[in-house]
Amino acid sequence: MSLPLSVSPDVAEALGAGDPVVALESTIISHGLPRPRNLDAARDFEGILRERDVTPATVAVLDGTLKVGLTDDELRRVAEEDIVKVSVRDLPVVVSRGGSGATTVAGTAFIASLAGVRVFATGGLGGVHRGASTTFDESADLPVLAQVPITVVSAGVKSILDIPATLERLETLSVTVVGYRTDEFPSFWLTTSGERLDWSVPDGAAVAEVMAANDALGRRSAVLVANPLPPEQQLDPSVHDAALAQALAEADGLTGKEVTPFLLQRIVEITGGTSLEVNLEIAANNIRVAADIARAWAARG
């Protein structure tokens, strides 16, 4: 069976010319935002890149084919059809059945890397869940990043997760983590989690240098760029703390895959939609930084 990979003409042309390309995930479109706002947001995200002369490569699985770069009609399908979330472990089943799905961080990183895309912007990375010492609940994002040579720009991980344990796991997996103009790890809605980072970079050119060194060392692992929202754009910390505490209390008794969607939805409800608006700011902020990194990487030739 040949590799069921389809790279859009504009992405293929940009990659062939050595021009900057940034991958975007599709789960935020299909599962992370309400309709019809999700389609507008997806177009806006791609527009941020095009305004910076960077080619967007939104990733999804459509009719059994791994897609890197979507047409507007394909973007609409992801936004309007009821499709499943697809991580790396799901790909063989979805492809073999000719199915469609929106790719998670892990799925997007894996597929984008197959096409040769080196920079990927997402909102928040998956991580180690609270109580993982008994449930063993850990996102597939982490081990996949240990195996895929892509640079991921993320606003840390959501505060519903165990952030110290996530950082420990990233260290164990030897995933390089750098703070973008910060030495503190962000916690998605908040500028900082209070966890210190060993390394910080000042700009996209510095990230490109790290990428080049990672390649020269023969490492086949990701570089994670932790990019916090400016303090004035973060969710009010007191609102965040109260919403998180209430959502966690209400989630008592839930297990497995039920927990995360419940917590995220309840936080949106408790904050009156404010957390959702911050989500959009996070995504846009990460995409802008990813564009700078991709441009710096392309400039290296």
Side-chain angles (χ1 to χ4, degrees):
M1 181 178 181
S2 60
L3 180 65
L5 178 68
S6 173
V7 181
S8 70
D10 55 339
V11 172
E13 181 179 354
L15 290 172
D19 293 336
V21 177
V22 169
L24 302 172
E25 64 160 296
S26 48
T27 293
I28 189 173
I29 305 168
S30 66
H31 293 80
L33 296 169
R35 299 170 181 166
R37 186 128 184 235
N38 57 346
L39 180 57
D40 292 336
R43 290 168 171 161
D44 289 344
F45 295 156
E46 291 196 347
I48 291 170
L49 293 172
R50 291 193 178 98
E51 288 170 0
R52 289 162 172 74
D53 295 322
V54 176
T55 300
T58 303
V59 174
V61 182
L62 294 175
D63 305 320
T65 299
L66 312 181
K67 294 278 190 174
V68 180
L70 304 181
T71 65
D72 193 68
D73 284 344
E74 290 170 336
L75 205 62
R76 182 183 294 276
R77 284 188 61 187
V78 172
E80 296 180 352
E81 293 182 9
D82 292 326
I83 56 177
V84 298
K85 289 184 183 180
V86 178
S87 189
V88 175
R89 68 163 193 169
D90 308 306
L91 289 174
V93 179
V94 176
V95 168
S96 68
R97 295 180 177 181
S100 299
T103 50
T104 63
V105 170
T108 302
F110 179 81
I111 295 169
S113 184
L114 288 177
V117 179
R118 294 299 306 270
V119 183
F120 165 31
T122 185
L125 189 70
V128 177
H129 287 250
R130 296 172 186 241
S133 59
T134 55
T135 65
F136 300 97
D137 193 353
E138 174 187 319
S139 171
D141 295 352
L142 304 185
V144 168
L145 292 189
Q147 305 164 15
V148 176
I150 198 165
T151 293
V152 182
V153 183
S154 162
V157 299
K158 293 182 178 69
S159 51
I160 62 174
L161 301 175
D162 186 331
I163 295 176
T166 299
L167 288 169
E168 288 289 346
R169 187 71 176 124
L170 286 165
E171 180 180 353
T172 299
L173 293 169
S174 295
V175 175
T176 299
V177 182
V178 296
Y180 193 80
R181 299 176 181 170
T182 184
D183 59 3
E184 296 184 353
F185 194 68
S187 61
F188 195 69
W189 294 294
L190 300 182
T191 299
T192 181
S193 64
E195 297 294 324
R196 305 287 291 187
L197 292 172
D198 293 326
W199 304 105
S200 175
V201 290
D203 52 33
V207 177
E209 292 291 337
V210 173
M211 293 167 64
N214 202 42
D215 286 359
L217 291 166
R219 283 166 46 83
R220 296 284 300 174
S221 56
V223 174
L224 176 60
V225 179
N227 179 44
L229 271 179
E232 64 273 14
Q233 293 182 352
Q234 69 176 338
L235 186 62
D236 182 289
S238 61
V239 171
H240 166 273
D241 294 349
L244 178 61
Q246 182 178 336
L248 288 171
E250 293 176 0
D252 187 39
L254 295 180
T255 58
K257 293 183 178 180
E258 298 176 325
V259 178
T260 297
F262 174 83
L263 290 174
L264 296 179
Q265 183 58 36
R266 282 300 291 137
I267 289 172
V268 170
E269 293 166 354
I270 295 166
T271 62
T274 303
S275 65
L276 186 62
E277 299 306 314
V278 177
N279 284 8
L280 293 169
E281 291 290 345
I282 288 167
N285 190 46
N286 290 342
I287 291 167
R288 287 189 286 267
V289 169
D292 290 343
I293 295 169
R295 288 169 61 91
W297 180 251
R300 294 180 57 86

